[in-house]
RNA sequence: GCGGACGUGGCGGAAUGGUAGACGCAGGGGACUUAAAAUCCCUUUGGGUAUCCCAGUGCGGGUUCGAGUCCCGCCGUCCGCACCA
């Protein structure tokens, strides 16, 4: 077998060393790809296009292992598509605005911009070190005016089309830090940083009219057949469409009480009304009755966590007011109830205890009537309730003119009556609220408006964009640095020229990530994008990211795309044709209780043995906890840089793809990464045996090779990387065992190309040794369909469904022959034990089942 | 409570209704070596009266010649949402 002489540079042959040295090879090939500009997407290309995108990272400073998994998957797909002759757009950028930069500024006295840009440089180097096939010429950082200036222009466009407005809205205000907090920054009612009690404050805030798109966004979900069902369901629930009847009760005190119900069909079963504690009716009653005021105060004390809500008892206060039933004329008592929410519907309900569990619980507690108005049939009308409400479908009973109607029919009938009578109307209610985008923060996109005492709120003229952030800001005192900047906000009104002041709110960073995938397709200096290029590249063919963005980011991006389409900027309606949400990387947690609290240790501080583990530092045991998502606070993290330094980029990439299905969690293990590194060397040894001049045919190996090529291609297209990996192991084993031949050399060459997208550095190094060009520019190996089918098959022989023997026969052996062969089997005869065969089932090329 | 996903060896997991446990990790045994590393080979679901047989894919039923896979009912784990009227 001819020994091939590998290369230091593409094309140059040198001697293949004993071991593959990732430390040198990784950098060499990364430089070679850069130099050849392999991964630049060509807008002018006539090839079929693929847009592969992973969710861009927040530049925290370090890549974590979750990024490595995410970007490796996208990279394999991008490299594979390129080998299949596609023009691939695979870009990368930075979601670079946000709070951590300001926190760093406050804690370390560094400027958010400097801190962010330094982090970007570090992380970019880390990504390069992993060998990702990215088009860096299209890199975006959202914190640069070249990006956010265009965002301001788009914001003004939406404003011009009435999709942006201002309104008073309650925010979480931290009185110590003098800042607005996001909901997740409020912990047990206190600011996460200051610990101060958070107040609800009314501030004038900017909103985007996402509710205008509620129906579109909901309907659009049905077109996203390449999205996970799970994500579609989550968005559907989030949008929360419900259809029902809104009508008003006449109250005994002369007022009216508007209520909303999705079950107008049960209106004859209403036995009381209930209002929220902060409902105007409740407030009015409380003003005159201290007992009511006390009850309202009690309601507000109640916790709001899921567990508390689940166990919370239904409590009510009888206001003494009654409501007149629109059909029966009955007087229904009006309660203040702790389970009614002011934020939903009208803050008041008609309660139908028989067919709503909450109402049932409440009625049981306060001895209110529980009426049956829906039953399985008319004969069932008097059946008592078995301790719980019946919310299901059925026929209306005890319901006057509705009797005998099905639920759906009755809903329509009641709405029709209400609309005819003018006392109510059919109404669709959405859970989705308009998107509040104001943040009282420095490190974000300035909202391009000016407040003028004469002209009111005036948009910044587009020719004055971008409105850039001032660099000289002070983080020593709490509050919004833009607001207290000495000069920045003072400008003249663009309309009347009088002194005015800039808007000092900045945009929610979710706005930045709502259109970055459009900017990747084209980056004109004078416009956010070129619509023609968007038409070329969008929608993204494969979007990959974490499930944590199932709702907010993915919904906002869908909204923003549809909004731009509605105002005529682009044509595409849905930005992401196919979505994949990858699982997390997990590791067990090591801890020890010290002084009443858990102290955590990282995997590198631990020696693992059998069931237990000890701390390297003192040799004493530590507690081995659950396998959970890697997180800094639990210290169960590994540093990708260290892994790359020890094992090379290809080993960590291979690990990310192996074993676990990509949508599931991947448990990190030291043994696993070592196994991957061993496999890299094992392939290297096999590649070294490549001999282009070998002769002789090995038909079985040829088949295996071609079957593997076809299967791996299918697996990659379906993102089934773990299966592709398993097949590659199989072909590796078969090739190693085979005797030298042309077939064996072909198998080795095919293997090299198959691992090209997964272990690109190893592939390049070996390919150069073969005297060929760059794998990055090579074609995926062809498949000979004739070799995909075996000419010999193994047939299972069952007796009464139990396996008794196997037969190796030529493919396509006729049914009768198979029967005869099966009956001739000694094992089969023994299993039959003389019993007569009643029936024979033959599945050609698969099995024979003898039924005795 | 509602919705969704999942449940297969010691572990991660394969398996168009047709030979369960491919492939990897870990374990056991062996070869090579003065020794180690590296590498290679064998072995590993459980139980038996062991060239063979029985049981076995969370539990209980069912459909089928045949079920990890389909249907019904449970149990458990994880995720999301939630007094949404």
């Amino acid at each position: 077998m001819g020994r091939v002489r590998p290369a230091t540079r593409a094309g140059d042959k040198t001697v293949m060393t004993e071991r593959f040295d990732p430390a040198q090879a990784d950098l060499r090939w990364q430089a070679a790809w850069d130099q050849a500009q392999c991964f630049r997407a060509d807008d002018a290309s006539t090839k079929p296009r693929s847009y592969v995108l992973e969710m861009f990272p927040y530049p925290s400073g370090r890549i974590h292992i979750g990024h490595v998994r995410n970007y490796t998957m996208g990279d394999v797909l991008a490299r594979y598509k390129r080998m299949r002759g596609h023009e691939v757009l695979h870009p990368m950028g930075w979601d670079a605005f946000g709070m951590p930069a300001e926190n760093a500024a406050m804690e370390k006295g560094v400027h958010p911009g400097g801190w962010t840009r330094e982090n970007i440089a570090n992380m970019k180097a880390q990504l390069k070190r992993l060998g990702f096939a990215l088009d860096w010429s299209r890199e975006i950082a959202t914190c640069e005016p070249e990006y956010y200036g265009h965002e301001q222009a788009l914001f003004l466009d939406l404003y011009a089309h009435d999709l942006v407005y201002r309104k008073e809205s309650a925010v979480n205000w931290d009185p110590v830090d003098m800042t607005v907090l996001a909901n997740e920054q409020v912990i047990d009612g206190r600011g996460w940083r200051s610990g101060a009690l958070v107040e609800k404050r009314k501030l004038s805030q900017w909103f985007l009219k996402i509710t205008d798109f509620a129906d579109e966004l909901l309907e659009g979900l049905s077109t996203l057949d390449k999205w996970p069902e799970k994500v579609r369901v989550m968005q559907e629930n989030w949008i929360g469409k419900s259809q029902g009847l809104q009508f008003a009760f006449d109250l005994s005190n002369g007022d009216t009480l508007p209520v909303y119900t999705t079950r107008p069909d049960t209106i004859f079963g209403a036995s009381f009304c209930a209002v929220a504690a902060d409902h105007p009716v409740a407030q009015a009653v409380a003003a005159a009755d201290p007992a009511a005021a006390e009850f309202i105060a009690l309601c507000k004390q109640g916790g709001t966590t899921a567990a508390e809500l689940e166990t919370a008892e239904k409590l009510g206060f009888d206001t003494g007011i009654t409501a007149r039933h629109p059909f029966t004329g009955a007087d229904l008592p009006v309660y203040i109830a702790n389970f009614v929410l002011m934020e939903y519907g009208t803050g008041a309900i008609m309660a139908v205890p028989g067919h709503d569990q909450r109402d049932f619980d409440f009625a049981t507690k306060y001895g209110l009537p529980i009426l049956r108005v829906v039953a399985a049939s008319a004969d069932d009308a008097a059946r008592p309730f078995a301790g719980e409400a019946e919310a299901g479908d059925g026929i209306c009973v005890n319901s006057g003119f509705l009797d005998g109607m099905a639920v759906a029919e009755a809903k329509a009938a009641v709405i029709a009556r209400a609309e005819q009578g003018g006392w109510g109307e059919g109404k669709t209610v959405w859970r989705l609220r308009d998107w509040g985008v104001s943040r009282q923060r420095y490190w974000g996109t300035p909202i391009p408006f000016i407040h003028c005492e004469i002209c009111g709120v005036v948009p910044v003229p587009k020719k004055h964009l971008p409105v850039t952030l001032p660099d000289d800001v002070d983080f020593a005192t709490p509050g919004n640095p833009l607001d207290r900047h000495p000069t920045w906000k003072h400008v003249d009104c663009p309309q009347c020229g009088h002194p005015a002041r800039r808007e000092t709110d900045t945009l929610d960073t979710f706005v930045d990530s709502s259109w970055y995938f459009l900017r990747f397709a084209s980056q004109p200096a004078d416009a956010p994008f070129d619509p023609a290029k968007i038409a070329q590249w969008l929608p993204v063919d494969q979007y990959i990211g974490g499930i944590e963005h199932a709702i907010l980011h993915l919904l906002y991006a869908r909204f923003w795309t549809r909004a731009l389409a509605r105002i005529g900027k682009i044509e595409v309606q849905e930005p992401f044709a196919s979505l994949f949400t990858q699982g997390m990387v997990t590791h067990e947690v090591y801890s020890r209780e010290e002084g009443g609290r858990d102290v955590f240790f990282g995997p590198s501080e631990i020696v693992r043995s059998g069931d237990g583990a000890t701390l390297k530092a003192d040799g004493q045991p530590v507690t081995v906890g659950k396998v959970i998502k890697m997180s800094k606070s639990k210290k169960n993290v590994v540093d990708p840089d260290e892994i790359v330094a020890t094992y090379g980029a290809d080993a960590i990439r291979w690990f990310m793809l192996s074993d676990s299905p990509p949508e599931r969690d991947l448990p990190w293990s030291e043994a696993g990464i070592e196994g991957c590194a061993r496999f890299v060397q094992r392939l290297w040894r096999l590649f070294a045996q490549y001999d282009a001049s070998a002769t002789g045919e090995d038909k079985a190996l040829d088949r295996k090779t071609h079957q593997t090529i076809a299967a791996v291609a299918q697996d990659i297209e379906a993102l089934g990387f773990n299966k592709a990996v398993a097949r590659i192991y199989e072909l590796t084993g078969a090739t190693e065992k085979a005797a030298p031949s042309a077939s064996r050399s072909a198998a080795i060459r095919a293997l090299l190309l198959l691992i090209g997208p997964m272990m690109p550095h190893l592939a390049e190094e070996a390919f150069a040794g073969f005297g060929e060009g760059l794998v990055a520019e090579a074609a995926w190996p062809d498949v000979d369909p004739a070799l995909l089918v075996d000419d010999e098959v193994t047939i299972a022989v069952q007796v009464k469904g139990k396996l008794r023997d196997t037969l190796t026969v030529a493919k396509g052996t006729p049914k009768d022959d198979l029967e005869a062969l099966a009956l001739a089997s000694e094992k089969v005869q023994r299993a039959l034990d003389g019993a007569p065969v009643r029936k024979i089932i033959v599945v050609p090329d698969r099995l024979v089942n003898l039924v005795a």
Side-chain angles (χ1 to χ4, degrees):
Chain A
M1 195 180 330
R3 196 143 168 105
V4 194
R5 302 177 310 135
T8 47
R9 242 169 292 145
D12 292 352
K13 291 191 169 189
T14 57
V15 177
M16 245 171 152
T17 46
E18 294 252 329
R19 288 182 66 80
F20 173 67
D21 178 13
Q24 290 182 34
D26 288 3
L27 296 178
R28 179 160 55 241
W29 295 108
Q30 285 154 19
W33 298 324
D34 271 353
Q35 205 180 356
Q37 300 202 344
C38 293
F39 308 126
R40 278 187 98 134
D42 178 5
D43 290 331
S45 171
T46 54
K47 297 176 186 174
R49 291 164 195 277
S50 283
Y51 187 175
V52 178
L53 183 66
E54 301 97 53
M55 292 181 186
F56 69 163
Y58 178 79
S60 61
R62 305 290 295 168
I63 291 291
H64 60 72
I65 199 91
H67 292 128
V68 179
R69 192 177 191 201
N70 188 177
Y71 301 153
T72 300
M73 289 178 191
D75 200 54
V76 171
L77 188 66
R79 285 174 178 270
Y80 165 81
K81 286 285 182 188
R82 190 165 275 118
M83 290 178 84
R84 294 309 295 252
H86 284 228
E87 189 63 36
V88 174
L89 175 55
H90 186 216
M92 183 54 72
W94 310 97
D95 190 12
F97 273 137
M99 295 239 311
E102 284 187 62
N103 294 338
M106 285 182 260
E107 281 158 20
K108 297 173 202 156
V110 292
H111 190 275
W115 183 83
T116 303
R117 291 183 188 105
E118 200 170 301
N119 286 347
I120 288 174
N122 288 337
M123 291 173 75
K124 184 172 176 180
Q126 287 186 298
L127 291 181
K128 289 212 159 196
R129 190 64 191 78
L130 285 156
F132 294 133
L134 294 162
D135 181 354
W136 285 106
S137 72
R138 296 175 189 243
E139 183 181 1
I140 287 170
T142 58
C143 65
E144 304 301 343
E146 293 75 37
Y147 183 81
Y148 70 70
H150 297 302
E151 186 166 309
Q152 290 168 336
L154 291 173
F155 193 76
L156 292 176
D157 290 333
L158 294 181
Y159 177 80
H161 286 83
D162 217 17
L163 293 170
V164 173
Y165 67 98
R166 267 160 72 78
K167 77 169 179 194
E168 286 261 306
S169 167
V171 295
N172 302 308
W173 180 259
D174 184 323
V176 171
D177 279 355
M178 289 175 49
T179 186
V180 169
L181 300 176
N183 284 333
E184 59 272 18
Q185 292 159 356
V186 181
I187 298 156
D188 293 332
R190 291 174 180 276
W192 67 286
R193 173 191 296 280
S194 67
L197 274 176
V198 169
E199 301 166 7
K200 287 278 177 195
R201 265 208 193 179
K202 288 250 177 183
L203 283 183
S204 229
Q205 306 264 297
W206 290 92
F207 284 85
L208 285 171
K209 270 194 198 165
I210 190 170
T211 53
D212 253 32
F213 293 76
D215 236 333
E216 268 191 50
L217 289 167
L218 183 65
E219 290 302 310
L221 288 174
S222 62
T223 67
L224 299 176
D225 56 331
K226 289 188 213 158
W227 278 40
E229 166 82 14
K230 181 191 174 88
V231 175
R232 289 196 311 235
V233 168
M234 282 164 75
Q235 291 210 353
E236 193 181 319
N237 292 339
W238 185 263
I239 294 168
K241 181 181 190 174
S242 64
Q243 287 169 299
L245 169 70
Q246 182 163 324
F247 69 99
F249 283 103
D250 291 325
L251 297 183
S252 56
N253 65 2
D255 289 342
T256 57
L257 179 66
V259 298
Y260 175 73
T261 178
T262 56
R263 292 297 303 272
D265 55 300
T266 63
I267 192 164
F268 283 87
S271 60
F272 64 99
C273 289
V275 301
D278 33 7
H279 191 277
V281 168
Q283 298 293 332
V285 171
D289 181 352
E294 204 175 306
F295 176 77
I296 288 168
L298 181 74
C299 287
K300 289 188 172 170
Q301 271 173 28
T304 51
T305 66
E308 282 168 321
L309 288 175
E310 195 161 341
T311 52
E313 198 183 354
K314 302 275 181 292
L315 296 174
F317 182 90
D318 189 347
T319 60
I321 300 169
T322 59
R324 169 140 311 183
H325 192 288
F327 289 119
T328 68
D331 287 321
L332 310 178
V334 176
Y335 281 78
I336 303 167
N338 66 345
F339 70 93
V340 179
L341 303 175
M342 193 60 218
E343 307 82 61
Y344 190 81
T346 61
I349 60 164
M350 70 164 198
V352 184
H355 306 285
D356 181 287
Q357 191 58 42
R358 296 157 299 180
D359 300 349
F360 187 95
D361 295 343
F362 191 91
T364 306
K365 182 172 167 77
Y366 291 99
L368 295 159
I370 301 175
L371 311 170
R372 171 177 294 282
V373 290
V374 177
S377 67
D379 306 334
D380 200 29
R383 185 165 53 84
F385 290 94
E388 59 181 16
E390 293 177 18
D393 212 344
I395 302 294
C396 289
V397 295
N398 307 320
S399 293
F401 71 100
L402 298 176
D403 280 356
M405 290 186 195
V407 162
E409 191 187 351
K411 281 181 182 172
V414 172
I415 291 171
R417 279 284 178 108
E419 289 179 349
Q420 277 161 27
W423 50 269
E425 56 177 359
K427 193 173 174 185
T428 302
V429 169
W430 304 87
R431 190 178 167 279
L432 184 70
R433 292 293 132 98
D434 273 339
W435 176 13
V437 293
S438 279
R439 297 292 180 271
Q440 290 70 35
R441 294 266 158 213
Y442 165 73
W443 194 233
T445 301
I447 296 177
F449 281 87
I450 290 165
H451 300 276
C452 170
E453 282 189 7
I454 299 160
C455 308
V457 178
V458 180
V460 173
K462 278 199 175 174
K463 61 177 189 281
H464 293 168
L465 295 182
V467 176
T468 55
L469 291 167
D471 272 334
D472 52 333
V473 280
D474 157 37
F475 291 94
T477 45
N480 181 356
L482 286 181
D483 199 34
R484 53 161 198 275
H485 190 279
T487 56
W488 186 78
K489 70 178 171 186
H490 302 295
V491 289
D492 292 337
C493 172
Q495 268 175 31
C496 69
H498 278 80
R501 99 189 143 71
R502 281 194 191 287
E503 172 63 63
T504 57
D505 284 357
T506 51
L507 287 172
D508 181 3
T509 56
F510 275 119
V511 175
D512 309 335
S513 53
S514 290
W515 70 285
Y516 76 107
F517 42 86
L518 302 177
R519 182 78 183 161
F520 277 141
S522 68
Q523 307 184 339
D526 55 351
F529 39 69
D530 171 354
K533 301 261 171 75
I534 298 222
Q536 266 184 356
W537 286 112
L538 272 284
V540 174
D541 293 286
Q542 184 66 61
Y543 196 34
I544 309 177
I547 187 71
E548 66 274 19
H549 295 112
I551 296 174
L552 296 182
H553 162 57
L554 289 166
L555 192 64
Y556 292 149
R558 291 183 61 218
F559 156 64
W560 197 263
T561 304
R562 281 178 181 273
L564 292 179
R566 187 183 285 183
I567 68 174
K569 292 269 164 193
I570 56 176
E571 305 250 327
V572 63
Q573 296 281 333
E574 287 290 344
F576 313 120
S578 179
L579 172 71
F580 188 83
T581 54
Q582 97 272 5
M584 300 178 298
V585 182
T586 58
H587 197 284
E588 52 194 15
V589 174
Y590 308 111
S591 65
R592 204 185 262 173
E593 205 187 293
E594 276 171 22
R597 58 192 197 95
D598 286 331
V599 178
F600 297 99
F601 303 101
S604 57
E605 303 173 80
I606 292 295
V607 182
R608 195 76 173 75
S609 57
D611 296 342
T614 53
L615 189 63
K616 276 180 192 165
D618 60 12
Q620 296 302 305
V622 294
T623 307
V624 178
K626 281 206 287 190
V627 179
I628 57 166
K629 178 183 181 175
M630 287 191 179
S631 81
K632 276 185 194 160
S633 63
K634 296 281 191 294
K635 281 205 177 176
N636 59 334
V637 289
V638 293
D639 178 9
D641 265 4
E642 282 176 29
I643 309 296
V644 170
T646 310
Y647 301 102
D650 291 336
I652 191 170
R653 291 170 61 111
W654 188 248
F655 187 99
M656 293 294 109
L657 302 167
S658 304
D659 295 351
S660 288
E663 70 278 10
R664 287 207 218 159
D665 289 351
L666 171 66
W668 178 267
S669 83
E670 202 60 29
I673 185 70
E674 280 169 14
C676 292
R678 272 201 302 275
F679 185 60
V680 171
Q681 298 299 337
R682 185 177 155 197
L683 280 176
W684 178 248
R685 288 191 299 273
L686 183 61
F687 292 155
Q689 295 168 16
Y690 178 72
D691 177 2
S693 62
T695 55
E697 189 186 52
D698 181 340
K699 200 82 179 176
L701 184 61
D702 285 343
R703 282 206 184 84
K704 183 87 183 164
T705 302
H706 284 252
Q707 286 165 0
T708 304
I709 295 167
V712 167
Q714 257 180 27
D715 288 336
I716 291 177
E717 305 235 11
L719 307 183
F721 304 112
N722 59 319
K723 295 186 209 174
V725 162
R727 293 185 209 283
I728 287 169
Y729 275 118
E730 280 191 65
L731 180 59
T732 302
T735 308
E736 284 169 337
K737 285 189 186 74
S741 66
S743 300
R744 187 173 194 264
S745 291
I748 292 175
R749 189 172 183 281
L751 260 175
L752 187 151
L753 293 169
L754 294 190
I755 60 124
M758 304 179 178
M759 298 192 270
H761 310 89
L762 170 68
E764 295 290 7
E765 187 82 355
F767 212 44
F770 294 5
E772 307 207 35
L774 286 171
V775 178
E777 289 169 347
W780 189 255
D782 287 327
V783 171
D784 178 355
L787 289 170
L788 293 182
V789 285
D790 292 310
D791 59 357
E792 250 184 10
V793 288
T794 306
I795 305 263
V797 183
Q798 299 178 335
V799 175
K800 287 187 281 186
K802 283 193 180 186
L803 182 73
R804 293 299 170 182
D805 202 358
T806 57
L807 303 168
T808 303
V809 297
K811 189 177 172 68
T813 300
K815 217 172 153 174
D816 292 350
D817 294 4
L818 290 176
E819 278 187 34
L821 282 166
L823 285 166
S825 159
E826 189 191 321
K827 289 175 185 171
V828 167
Q829 284 305 324
R830 204 175 331 132
L832 282 170
D833 196 23
V837 175
R838 289 190 287 119
K839 192 174 172 186
I840 303 181
I841 285 127
V842 180
V843 182
D845 296 334
R846 287 229 79 122
L847 65 68
V848 179
N849 188 7
L850 306 168
V851 186

